[in-house]
Amino acid sequence: MRRRTALRVVSAAVGGAVVPLSFASTPAAAHGWAALQSPTARWDFDEQAGAVTREVVSGSANPVDYVFNDARYKPDSDPVRRRGVLGRALYFDGYSTVVTAEGPGKLDITSGMTIDVWIAPYAYEHGIDGKPQALVNQHDPDARIGFLLGLRRFGQIAFQLGFGTDLVEVKGAPDQPATKNRWTHIAATYDPADHQLRLYRDGLPIGTATTPDRAPVPASGEPLLIGRHNRPTLLNGEFHANMYMGLMDSLAIRPGTLDDATARKEHAAKVAALPGHRAPRPDLTHDRSRFDGDRHRPQFHMLPPWHWMNEPHAPVYFKGKYHIFYQHDPLGPFWGQIHWGHAVSTDMVHWRDLPIALAPAADSVGPDGCWSGSAYVDGDRGPVLFFTGGDDRLPYRQRTALATSTYRSDGDTDLPTWTMKPEPVTEAPADLPAGPGTAWAENFRDPFVWEEDGTWYQLVGSGIVDYEGMQVTRKHGGTALLYTARRPEGPWTYKGPLHWNDLATTPEPGEVWELPVLLPLPGPQGKRTGKHILLICPWWEGFNPDAVKHTYYWIGTFDKRRHRFVPDHEKPREFDFGEHFTGPSGFVTPDGRSVIFSITQDRRTEQQHAQSGWAHNAGMPVSLSLRPDGILGVEPIDEADRLRGKKLAHIRHLSVKDANRRLTDVSGDLLDISAVIEPRGAQTITLAVRACADGTEETLLSYDTAEKRFQIDRSRSSLDPDVRKGLHGGSVELDDGKLRLRVLLDRSMLEAYVNGSNSLTSRVYPTRKDATGLRLTSEGGSAHLVSLDVWRMNGAYDRSVAPASYDPPRPTDVDALPNHDFATGDLTGWTVVSGTTFSDANVTTRPDWGWGGPFYQAETDDDPTGHHLWGFNPDAGGDDATGVLRSTTVVLGGDGVIDLLVSGGGNPDQLYAAVVRAGDGKILAKATGRGAEQYRRVVFDLAAHIGDRIYIEIVDRASGGWGHINVDDVNVPVQRP
């Protein structure tokens, strides 16, 4: 268990509540108050551009770290700056922006200190690991020295000062936070005469704490960081938590002490000096141009302006506008602090970003997360949102809850403002009967709600288990629990499971159903059929290789009298042939179509998410129908045609061979492709997309007429070894003897629709700029192209689409380090120098470590099974074993840039992979893991050592927990003899 720093917070209990002590301060003269002096350090953040900010007192230029200073997938760009309170302000993005300085100048904190700053927060962090979001800090919390000014959960202002034996914290009143989306002036002061820490918000006192009768101790050995905690928690081995998100302006650190009267006067003077005598409205909108040139970021699919997106949900139509919401972490491209993002459209394909609709709040049903749900129109008051509220204080932390818009009072059909009701809608008691067992109370989420004939219906995703006390003793399968009510607020009456799967006979839908959706299925002409579709996403409690990869469905009848779903087929069917379509949500449009939205998981590593600044996007909405043959009809919504731009090809009635010649000059990474092909004896018909002329990179969409199988082959889709590849597909019957194919290609996003009955959603990540070609081929027979149309697609947002940017090619006149990726399945080319931890048994193709998730080892043409060196060998001592492994000695050539995959324990002194100069044994560069098994790519620029004889050394001298290191795909440009 992580050792937590002891914090001393002084407060008084009044009437059972905890409130700050009195704010009244003793007159300064009575205690020898140290008057405020000029700042020893000040940052105005007034720079127009560049990756530095100037500390005004010393004139030094402090670096501003930012993910796109040296961008991985797009052109480099500067940290974001906006209008400030006065002049400019720096935008901290919540996960990568941090200013590093040497310290607060010539500050003697023992004589008193004051920090003041203007901030306009965009989002609050959850308070990960009990640490604040740091605004500015130079401290060592373990040693209890130094200082920190920051924000705790829900914007509560906090100031910490270390005295060696104590780390004292003053918290502002909970009802006086640094409010989101407005400028707040914060001042924190240490008064050695009164032995007090004091906090001020906009000139008014909001908290005090008593300090020990000793001098504080500075943390002069630590860097002064603005925007990030000195000891941040590392998430997923990649992301630094405890970082500020929002604008910051005019940060000053001063000797001396601030009292109440001076704080009030200073703040009044600051405001009086502003134009209009008020702080301006901060511009916290997210500019999508931040990602211009990203070679993989989709352009005509719905996705957030930045950071993490999970499933879109709660689609609803109201007053001429379609609304979609989505799971969103505004603080970075990783899961956590889940909010509801919001976008609006008039046609479901062109979108505008709106403010966050729901956010975790202290006084809400969801203080620990606002998770998935749905929406439905409730008469004149407009749509109501049903969501999953997360509250970690409860024994069963998931409940369904309700939010309403301010439409009735403001008439704004954009519905920008929502209010969460304080009470839950439904909760799962521990003994809720469900089919063969009891509803799994710990898993009770994702309400799907609709109204029909005056009755409101609510499905809640869950599982069916047996309990013994609080312990689950058996899992029966997943389910959707059904409730009914006369009005959205309830009361809701439980009606039992709508349907469920038996794990013993039908394990595919998992132990819990997430995101259940029940929709009517219209016929081809929109007529009622009396049938419904039930869609679900499977979930397992432990790691499962099929997790977050599939969506299953049944076609059947909704028996409203018995409150049960009666399927027409016992086995569920997979909705999409790829492994990227998940998270369904749906609704019925005003013209009677049943439309499904989805999330397209990108299958990228945590490091790739961090380097790109975004994660995931929505799929194209699809219309569902019941075909005359009883098969589910699946097509992109008709409105997708409105995204089409210039027509690039219009080909009719040619042989496939002749048609392919016509495609020579047709290319692009934003395309809509529509084709009808008669096989005429052909064994296979293949459309290559994102293809280089020489086939170095290409993605193949093929139909096998004998197997009646449509599939995608991504084995050559990317030269990047860190990209997931693979082969996926499923059975498809021809339509009147023809193959009808529709392909939507949006940079890394690929959706294929076959014969109007099946879809295949996938991702491709080419590395070459010329991987934009199309090629149509067939094998055997005389395949005939009936028609082929290709359009260039326009963006989904009201802005121009920037061309994709690619890295220049690396030198090719080099050799590789022998067995650099362990493709031989053993340690050929490597020498065990000492110890027992490294052996042939450590070379494995395992994709996961058995209890958590995927390694994401390298995948190449030479090693498609993905051999890698896993440093943990239970037969050789596990974490306690040690040893040293060394590669062949080579001469460094090419551009001198070495890269490799590293994971495992984090210990740079005892656990590392190093580049060593052979002549004198000097370590030129090295990297360790980060306490995570998932690989991350490490790059060493050793251009200064081109021509040196070097070798790679993998060292494990650590024992105990995380006492191992993993390595793969060591790329060394080797000079040829």
Side-chain angles (χ1 to χ4, degrees):
M1 183 175 179
R2 190 180 301 273
R3 184 169 68 88
R4 299 186 182 276
T5 303
L7 295 180
R8 182 178 170 202
V9 182
V10 180
S11 58
V14 181
V18 177
V19 299
L21 288 172
S22 170
F23 299 139
S25 60
T26 307
H31 295 281
W33 171 63
L36 283 167
Q37 303 170 37
S38 298
T40 59
R42 193 181 90 226
W43 295 265
D44 293 334
F45 306 115
D46 278 340
E47 295 78 17
Q48 297 292 316
V52 298
T53 187
R54 193 161 298 280
E55 194 282 295
V56 177
V57 177
S58 67
S60 61
N62 297 155
V64 183
D65 291 334
Y66 174 62
V67 64
F68 295 144
N69 288 346
D70 184 13
R72 174 69 180 85
Y73 301 106
K74 60 175 286 293
D76 297 345
S77 56
D78 291 339
V80 178
R81 293 175 172 87
R82 298 280 173 81
R83 176 191 176 191
V85 178
L86 281 174
R88 306 285 283 175
L90 184 62
Y91 204 143
F92 291 77
D93 69 359
Y95 89 100
S96 81
T97 314
V98 56
V99 176
T100 305
E102 290 184 2
K106 298 178 180 179
L107 176 70
D108 178 10
I109 64 175
T110 63
S111 299
M113 69 176 296
T114 297
I115 305 173
D116 66 275
V117 64
W118 285 95
I119 64 169
Y122 180 79
Y124 304 140
E125 193 189 69
H126 188 274
I128 295 170
D129 224 8
K131 302 172 186 176
Q133 287 176 278
L135 298 171
V136 57
N137 64 144
Q138 186 184 32
H139 82 315
D140 181 343
D142 294 326
R144 300 177 176 85
I145 60 175
F147 65 88
L148 175 145
L149 177 64
L151 304 179
R152 287 204 170 274
R153 294 191 67 182
F154 314 119
Q156 185 180 24
I157 302 165
F159 177 47
Q160 297 175 356
L161 189 62
F163 292 81
T165 56
D166 300 272
L167 184 63
V168 181
E169 178 173 19
V170 54
K171 295 179 183 178
D175 63 348
Q176 295 292 320
T179 307
K180 288 185 284 188
N181 301 308
R182 68 176 288 269
W183 284 108
T184 298
H185 184 259
I186 296 172
T189 197
Y190 164 55
D191 184 342
D194 276 355
H195 303 300
Q196 274 193 346
L197 303 183
R198 294 193 286 270
L199 275 177
Y200 299 91
R201 176 184 182 269
D202 292 336
L204 299 177
I206 58 171
T208 63
T210 302
T211 64
D213 188 14
R214 64 177 67 88
V217 182
S220 53
E222 298 290 330
L224 183 143
L225 299 181
I226 303 171
R228 190 176 81 192
H229 199 283
N230 276 116
R231 296 290 187 274
T233 295
L234 192 66
L235 301 176
N236 307 329
E238 188 61 44
F239 297 96
H240 290 109
N242 319 119
M243 295 184 68
Y244 171 64
M245 185 180 193
L247 287 168
M248 188 182 298
D249 195 6
S250 302
L251 168 64
I253 301 176
R254 299 180 281 176
T257 301
L258 191 67
D259 67 357
D260 293 5
T262 307
R264 186 167 51 252
K265 290 177 182 177
E266 278 200 350
H267 181 70
K270 290 178 186 292
V271 172
L274 298 178
H277 309 304
R278 65 173 58 187
R281 180 182 296 239
D283 179 7
L284 290 161
T285 57
H286 302 318
D287 187 350
R288 289 176 174 270
S289 65
R290 182 177 192 247
F291 296 99
D292 280 355
D294 187 314
R295 71 190 72 138
H296 301 313
R297 184 171 165 89
Q299 301 296 307
F300 64 83
H301 284 76
M302 195 280 288
L303 76 172
W306 62 2
H307 294 172
W308 174 270
M309 173 185 181
N310 221 34
E311 60 267 8
H313 47 66
V316 67
Y317 179 84
F318 183 66
K319 300 290 185 181
K321 296 175 183 177
Y322 295 93
H323 296 261
I324 190 71
F325 303 84
Y326 52 89
Q327 296 285 273
H328 180 47
D329 184 353
L331 286 110
F334 56 91
W335 187 93
Q337 294 116 183
I338 296 300
H339 296 54
W340 274 38
H342 183 192
V344 66
S345 172
T346 57
D347 60 5
M348 291 188 283
V349 293
H350 293 92
W351 296 97
R352 285 189 293 114
D353 297 314
L354 287 175
I356 286 172
L358 303 179
D363 57 352
S364 74
V365 179
D368 295 299
C370 299
W371 301 324
S372 290
S374 63
Y376 205 81
V377 176
D378 183 28
D380 292 339
R381 73 169 170 173
V384 291
L385 304 182
F386 287 79
F387 66 98
T388 307
D391 190 338
D392 293 342
R393 298 169 298 183
L394 303 174
Y396 306 123
R397 63 180 186 143
Q398 298 170 3
R399 304 179 290 177
T400 73
L402 183 69
T404 58
S405 79
T406 56
Y407 169 73
R408 270 187 171 173
S409 59
D410 60 28
D412 190 340
T413 56
D414 272 356
L415 309 178
T417 308
W418 297 83
T419 302
M420 293 186 282
K421 298 291 185 180
E423 298 299 325
V425 171
T426 53
E427 300 179 270
D431 57 351
L432 191 68
T438 300
W440 197 349
E442 295 94 331
N443 294 288
F444 185 85
R445 55 185 176 270
D446 308 337
F448 178 75
V449 177
W450 75 99
E451 182 271 334
E452 194 172 344
D453 299 328
T455 298
W456 286 75
Y457 296 86
Q458 179 185 185
L459 297 180
V460 182
S462 188
I464 301 176
V465 297
D466 290 337
Y467 279 107
E468 186 173 308
M470 296 283 288
Q471 185 70 33
V472 172
T473 57
R474 179 183 176 185
K475 300 171 184 175
H476 294 278
T479 190
L481 307 173
L482 179 62
Y483 293 79
T484 62
R486 303 302 297 179
R487 56 194 297 270
E489 283 82 359
W492 288 84
T493 303
Y494 177 58
K495 299 297 183 180
L498 178 76
H499 190 51
W500 65 284
N501 69 288
D502 186 342
L503 283 173
T505 60
T506 313
E508 297 89 346
E511 299 167 350
V512 168
W513 289 359
E514 290 192 317
L515 304 157
V517 173
L518 184 69
L519 290 174
L521 273 181
Q525 305 303 319
K527 295 181 180 179
R528 293 188 178 186
T529 64
K531 296 293 184 180
H532 283 71
I533 183 171
L534 173 63
L535 299 108
I536 62 97
C537 278
W539 181 88
W540 290 267
E541 185 175 26
F543 173 73
N544 188 290
D546 289 325
V548 201
K549 289 184 178 180
H550 305 283
T551 296
Y552 291 100
Y553 73 92
W554 292 266
I555 295 173
T557 305
F558 175 40
D559 186 336
K560 288 194 289 185
R561 184 182 62 83
R562 295 176 51 241
H563 299 105
R564 297 292 180 268
F565 177 78
V566 182
D568 293 346
H569 46 95
E570 181 179 350
K571 289 286 186 181
R573 297 170 181 168
E574 189 162 11
F575 187 87
D576 187 276
F577 291 154
E579 61 171 7
H580 297 266
F581 180 105
T582 59
S585 61
F587 75 131
V588 178
T589 64
D591 58 1
R593 291 174 293 166
S594 286
V595 171
I596 289 291
F597 286 78
S598 65
I599 181 69
T600 303
Q601 302 284 346
D602 56 32
R603 302 282 169 222
R604 302 173 89 178
T605 66
E606 298 287 18
Q607 184 185 37
Q608 290 165 344
H609 286 150
Q611 291 173 335
S612 63
W614 61 276
H616 315 313
N617 56 269
M620 183 61 64
V622 294
S623 293
L624 307 183
S625 63
L626 187 63
R627 294 165 33 131
D629 57 8
I631 294 175
L632 180 67
V634 182
E635 298 269 16
I637 57 173
D638 294 339
E639 290 89 340
D641 297 358
R642 302 181 187 180
L643 293 165
R644 290 171 175 169
K646 180 182 178 181
K647 197 165 195 177
L648 304 179
H650 178 79
I651 305 172
R652 296 294 184 272
H653 298 292
L654 288 177
S655 68
V656 165
K657 185 176 181 179
D658 289 340
N660 190 50
R661 293 194 187 101
R662 296 273 297 274
L663 289 175
T664 304
D665 297 326
V666 179
S667 64
D669 58 4
L670 304 172
L671 299 176
D672 184 348
I673 306 165
S674 181
V676 179
I677 305 167
E678 293 178 342
R680 295 187 181 181
Q683 297 168 357
T684 59
I685 300 166
T686 301
L687 174 67
V689 299
R690 298 305 307 266
C692 298
D694 61 3
T696 303
E697 287 185 329
E698 61 182 3
T699 297
L700 306 179
L701 296 166
S702 300
Y703 183 74
D704 186 313
T705 56
E707 297 287 337
K708 297 181 180 180
R709 178 179 173 83
F710 182 78
Q711 67 180 22
I712 185 172
D713 182 352
R714 294 181 296 151
S715 59
R716 298 175 67 84
S717 66
S718 178
L719 293 173
D720 186 344
D722 301 341
V723 165
R724 302 306 98 200
K725 303 175 179 71
L727 193 72
H728 304 283
S731 298
V732 180
E733 294 284 345
L734 291 177
D735 190 359
D736 293 329
K738 298 181 181 67
L739 176 68
R740 303 178 188 274
L741 183 61
R742 174 87 175 272
V743 178
L744 299 177
L745 187 63
D746 190 359
R747 301 250 160 110
S748 68
M749 178 81 179
L750 187 154
E751 293 159 305
Y753 302 90
V754 193
N755 292 350
S757 60
N758 295 94
S759 65
L760 191 157
T761 304
S762 194
R763 307 298 295 231
V764 294
Y765 300 95
T767 64
R768 286 178 47 166
K769 186 176 182 178
D770 61 343
T772 56
L774 299 179
R775 187 167 56 254
L776 185 63
T777 59
S778 64
E779 293 183 12
S782 54
H784 177 75
L785 181 73
V786 178
S787 64
L788 175 62
D789 296 285
V790 182
W791 294 266
R792 180 167 289 124
M793 296 291 270
N794 297 317
Y797 294 85
D798 186 19
R799 55 188 309 275
S800 60
V801 174
S805 177
Y806 289 83
D807 295 330
R810 295 277 303 276
T812 56
D813 58 338
V814 292
D815 289 328
L817 188 74
N819 200 19
H820 72 104
D821 56 359
F822 305 98
T824 61
D826 54 26
L827 294 181
T828 298
W830 296 78
T831 301
V832 176
V833 177
S834 63
T836 62
T837 196
F838 299 117
S839 70
D840 288 345
N842 291 93
V843 180
T844 180
T845 58
R846 285 188 58 158
D848 67 85
W849 56 91
W851 51 264
F855 283 110
Y856 282 154
Q857 66 263 40
E859 294 183 11
T860 64
D861 281 347
D862 295 333
D863 185 25
T865 56
H867 289 90
H868 60 112
L869 183 73
W870 185 19
F872 182 84
N873 184 352
D875 297 329
D879 275 336
D880 289 330
T882 59
V884 176
L885 184 68
R886 185 176 297 174
S887 76
T888 302
T889 298
V890 296
V891 178
L892 182 63
D895 57 5
V897 175
I898 295 174
D899 64 83
L900 66 157
L901 292 175
V902 178
S903 66
N907 188 328
D909 298 321
Q910 296 182 316
L911 206 61
Y912 57 85
V915 182
V916 182
R917 186 163 57 197
D920 57 6
K922 181 181 179 180
I923 293 177
L924 304 179
K926 67 178 179 179
T928 187
R930 290 189 170 188
E933 298 283 27
Q934 188 177 111
Y935 282 112
R936 64 190 311 273
R937 181 72 61 178
V938 176
V939 180
F940 304 133
D941 186 350
L942 297 177
H945 296 278
I946 293 173
D948 287 355
R949 299 179 73 249
I950 58 100
Y951 56 83
I952 304 299
E953 192 164 73
I954 304 171
V955 176
D956 178 354
R957 296 193 179 97
S959 60
W962 286 108
H964 70 276
I965 189 168
N966 316 319
V967 176
D968 190 24
D969 198 41
V970 184
N971 294 297
V972 178
V974 176
Q975 196 173 99
R976 289 177 178 169

